[in-house]
Every structure is written in C-alpha cells, then in structure tokens.
Amino acid sequence: MSSTKIHALINIGTLHTFAGGPRRGEQLLDTSPIVNGAIAWDSDGRILEVGTEVEVRDKVSGGNVTWHNAGGLIVTPGLIDSHTHAVNAGSRANEFVMRCMGTEYMDILRAGGGILNSADRTREASQGQIVQVGRENLRRSLSFGVTTLEAKSGYGLDTETELKMLRAIRTLDETQSIRLKATFCGAHAIPREFKDNPDNYVDLVINEMIPKVADEKLADYCDVFIEDGVFTVDQGKRILEAGLKHGLKPKVHCDEIVPLGGTEMCVELGALSVDHLIVITDKGIDALANSETVGCLLPGTSYYLKKPYAPCRRMIDAGCLLALATDNNPGSSRTENLQWILNVACLYYGLKPEEAFSMVTINAAKALGMEGEIGSIEPGKSADLVIWDAPDLSEIPYHHGLSHVSEVVISGS
C-alpha cells in the first residue's frame, strides 16, 4: 500500500455492504454482510478495501493509517433519498388541517392550494431564504443517515423562480455535507396564469425553461407530474424529450391517482425512475419489470394523504427494480425521516427490513443513475457510511420515530 493517507473503520459487528449491484425479487434480501468487518478508504474518500478486520488489517498498515473504531455496531452504506422537494419556501400546515377534516388533495389543488400555494410562497421568497429553509431540511435528513439526496424545483412555475430554486440547490450542494442531485421539475403543476392554456405553459417549459436550466448546468434530471388535471402523457413526453435533448435524464411522477399510461411511456423513453405508482396497472408493472427503470415508491405520501399503498409485493414478484424515498415536501409528505419511511414500507408494503434497506441504498442509487458511485460499500466507490446504534437492521424500522444513527461518513469525512 502506498504512503497516501488512509482511514480504516474497524470493529464493525456486521458490515452490510449491499455489494453486487441493484436488486430484484429475492435478491432484495441479500445485504452482502460481513461479520467482524472493516473498511479502508483513501484521502479522497474512495474505498480501497472491504472485508473482515483481519483481511483489511493485512492489506493496510503503517503510520499512514488512521484507525476508527465502530464499537461493534452495524454499518451500512449511506442512505439515499431519491425523491424529495426539500428545497422550497413556506408552510402548508393549514392544508394539513383541511385534510384532517376530510378534504381531498386534488380538491385543495383545484382551489388554488397545494403546489400552487407553495409556488406563491416560493415566488415571494429570496434565494437566500430558500437556501436557509433547505439547509434546515438537509440538516434533519443528515441526522437520519441520508448521505445523498435528490432535490427538485417545481414550486416556481415560472422561469425566474424555477432558476432561483435550482441555484439555491446548487448553493446548498456547495455549502453543506449531503451530496445533492438536482431535478428540474417546472412541469409540477399548471400555474394559474396558464389555467386555460396548458399547452402554452408546456411550450414555455420546453422552449425557455429547459434551455436556460441546461445553459447554467443547474440540473441533472427532468421531471413531470403526469396526472389527471395536471399534465397529460403526450405533454409529459414532449417535455421529457426536450429535457433529454439538453442532457436532462427523465425522473417522473406518474400513476399516483389516475392511471394514464405514464409508466409505459417513461419506460420507453428510458427514464431513470417512475415515482409514486399507487395505481400502476398490470401493463405498467410488466413494462417496468422488463426494463432498467426503477419504480420509486413513496409510502409516506400514501400515509399522509390516507391513500392506498402501491402494490409493492406484486411488483417485486414481477421482477421490478424498486426504491423507496420520503417525497419530503410541504404538502403531502412532510418528513425528512427516511428511517420512518422504512417502518411504513415494512408494515404496509409487507417488506422485510433487508428488502427495505436494499431500496434506500443500492436501488436508490440506481434511481439516480449513480449505482457505480454510491449505494454499496465496495472498492472504488465513495466512502458513504452510516454507523448504527442498533443490534441489527430490524431494530431500525421496528423502533420508529427516532434516529438510530451513531455516526455518518460522507466521502470519507
């Protein structure tokens, strides 16, 4: 081993590496564990060695190694929250009260609430105010073990505010610990000023917003909310194809309330992920199962809106690639707690903890197109780790409502 400065984490009770790539079907149960494990990484935060402590000590030694002790605790890859709206402005607690009284989400949206309410608040806010809200959200996400997080725009619905949101995400990526991946989601709702001319808004997204986002290199992905009363499949396809021409990979909201065929269209486009999928059809499941597109499930949204849950077990049995995320947003899933999402997924999707963890590590990395970089503990990947104050993985979703994190490592720090 060279004289480069090396860090090594030893005395790991069980190291759950999730090595070997994204998982389908029964593979979801395989955490690729190493008992009495150890990890070594270099000064750039790249993993060098993974194995038992005896094996790693045999390969790294000398005065250039800094040894860190995990105290016999379990270790996993850093968690990945692959669908959030964590950067925004304003609270919608009043709408929470309305939902408690039985008002439906789409009725709130049609009345000018929901996404449109957040758009009003975000248009009024300065970029600095948006950054501050995002910083607090990300601080909480980090406390729950999240090391990489996808953050969407979509509460601007005009060119200036969409760019303002994405610039805020870039600032946050540069000034806090969690690795951020940005999604342009200008097609999140139809703004009031285009209520009677939605196609004109689609043209604005395609001809003005996307080129400006691409020119400033502000986003990695392009998202559309394909839903009854929002954007049609044809409108969504036009926007996603425009995004692809500018290097923005598709990640899509679809099949949440009314099945319109969004999953099938997005699979044909080679989308990285299709998200929500509460009402996905058999045809959609078949298309997803025979693709590399990830179905990103958001059980917190079903819980929060008191809606049915996506047919997760049926999708697993069909062979779909699946991930889990918080959908952290001001209106329909206000949480940064990805550990709590594991609890809801285990209880209401019928998942075993190992399956749920596969969906917030290596499969969530796949939903971002980053499975070669993060999501598992393997040589060459970023040293993103969580040391858990828990005897085993089951304890984390079982004892819910608190954080079991002892320490978090991101890129070796």
Side-chain angles (χ1 to χ4, degrees):
M1 193 65 68
S2 73
S3 60
T4 302
K5 190 66 179 175
I6 295 170
H7 292 263
L9 181 64
I10 59 172
N11 194 19
I12 300 171
T14 302
L15 173 59
H16 297 277
T17 68
F18 293 89
R23 278 115 160 98
R24 302 175 190 256
E26 293 183 357
Q27 297 170 345
L28 288 163
L29 291 165
D30 179 16
T31 69
S32 301
I34 301 172
V35 177
N36 299 323
I39 313 159
W41 62 90
D42 63 20
S43 56
D44 294 324
R46 290 282 161 189
I47 297 173
L48 298 171
E49 303 290 346
V50 180
T52 65
E53 185 172 331
V54 171
E55 291 169 339
V56 172
R57 281 185 177 275
D58 185 54
K59 292 178 180 177
V60 298
S61 60
N64 63 326
V65 182
T66 300
W67 301 95
H68 306 272
N69 195 319
L73 300 176
I74 63 173
V75 173
T76 70
L79 304 189
I80 300 165
D81 199 348
S82 59
H83 180 127
T84 87
H85 303 264
V87 178
N88 55 73
S91 169
R92 277 156 53 192
N94 63 314
E95 294 178 9
F96 173 76
V97 176
M98 292 170 67
R99 279 197 303 278
C100 291
M101 298 299 103
T103 308
E104 293 290 332
Y105 174 81
M106 291 305 289
D107 290 334
I108 293 173
L109 179 62
R110 280 189 283 267
I115 295 166
L116 300 179
N117 183 355
S118 287
D120 290 340
R121 305 287 79 77
T122 307
R123 287 178 179 183
E124 294 166 0
S126 68
Q127 184 172 319
Q129 289 171 322
I130 295 170
V131 167
Q132 186 55 38
V133 172
R135 195 178 304 282
E136 288 301 305
N137 287 338
L138 295 172
R139 179 186 59 79
R140 288 186 286 265
S141 293
L142 178 63
S143 77
F144 292 115
V146 173
T147 56
T148 298
L149 180 143
E150 181 261 15
K152 304 179 191 293
S153 68
Y155 292 130
L157 309 182
D158 62 31
T159 304
E160 179 184 354
T161 314
E162 288 295 311
L163 294 174
K164 179 171 66 177
M165 289 190 72
L166 291 169
R167 289 171 186 144
I169 293 169
R170 180 168 62 188
T171 296
L172 286 163
D173 186 41
E174 294 169 349
T175 58
Q176 57 76 56
S177 299
I178 292 179
R179 180 186 297 103
L180 291 186
K181 302 297 287 185
T183 297
F184 167 66
C185 191
H188 197 198
I190 298 166
R192 295 183 187 89
E193 56 267 35
F194 288 91
K195 182 179 179 181
D196 297 324
N197 299 288
D199 281 328
N200 288 355
Y201 183 64
V202 171
D203 290 340
L204 178 69
V205 171
I206 290 171
N207 298 321
E208 181 173 298
M209 293 188 190
I210 288 176
K212 289 189 176 183
V213 169
D215 284 347
E216 289 192 46
K217 297 181 171 58
L218 289 172
D220 305 284
Y221 319 109
C222 182
D223 197 341
V224 181
F225 188 7
I226 296 173
E227 185 54 72
D228 188 34
V230 191
F231 295 94
T232 68
V233 172
D234 287 343
Q235 289 169 334
K237 185 176 183 181
R238 286 181 58 208
I239 292 167
L240 296 173
E241 287 179 336
L244 279 167
K245 289 177 182 176
H246 286 83
L248 303 177
K249 298 175 183 177
K251 282 177 63 65
V252 185
H253 295 61
C254 63
D255 287 339
E256 180 180 5
I257 300 169
V258 178
L260 300 177
T263 295
E264 297 92 307
M265 181 273 289
C266 294
V267 165
E268 288 180 8
L269 278 184
L272 286 173
S273 72
V274 284
D275 303 16
H276 282 295
L277 308 185
I278 292 173
V279 294
I280 188 172
T281 63
D282 289 343
K283 187 177 179 181
I285 291 174
D286 184 63
L288 195 60
N290 290 286
S291 76
E292 290 297 310
T293 299
V294 176
C296 184
L297 308 184
L298 309 170
T301 309
S302 293
Y303 173 91
Y304 213 83
L305 297 179
K306 297 187 285 187
K307 294 293 185 183
Y309 288 84
C312 180
R313 182 55 59 186
R314 192 146 55 91
M315 287 190 274
I316 290 173
D317 291 343
C320 298
L321 280 166
L322 298 177
L324 295 168
T326 62
D327 192 19
N328 179 21
N329 73 80
S332 61
S333 184
R334 186 65 185 96
T335 184
E336 297 89 355
N337 191 343
L338 193 53
Q339 293 178 44
W340 173 71
I341 294 298
L342 296 174
N343 168 270
V344 179
C346 288
L347 288 175
Y348 294 99
Y349 290 157
L351 298 180
K352 292 183 178 179
E354 295 85 354
E355 293 175 305
F357 264 92
S358 290
M359 295 181 192
V360 294
T361 54
I362 188 60
N363 281 19
K366 174 76 170 174
L368 298 178
M370 297 183 70
E371 67 274 19
E373 170 75 9
I374 58 174
S376 63
I377 300 171
E378 300 180 79
K381 288 194 171 184
S382 180
D384 294 358
L385 318 168
V386 180
I387 304 172
W388 298 94
D389 188 8
D392 54 52
L393 289 182
S394 299
E395 186 75 16
I396 297 162
Y398 157 67
H399 191 171
H400 68 100
L402 74 164
S403 180
H404 294 272
V405 169
S406 175
E407 290 188 75
V408 177
V409 178
I410 301 179
S411 297
S413 298

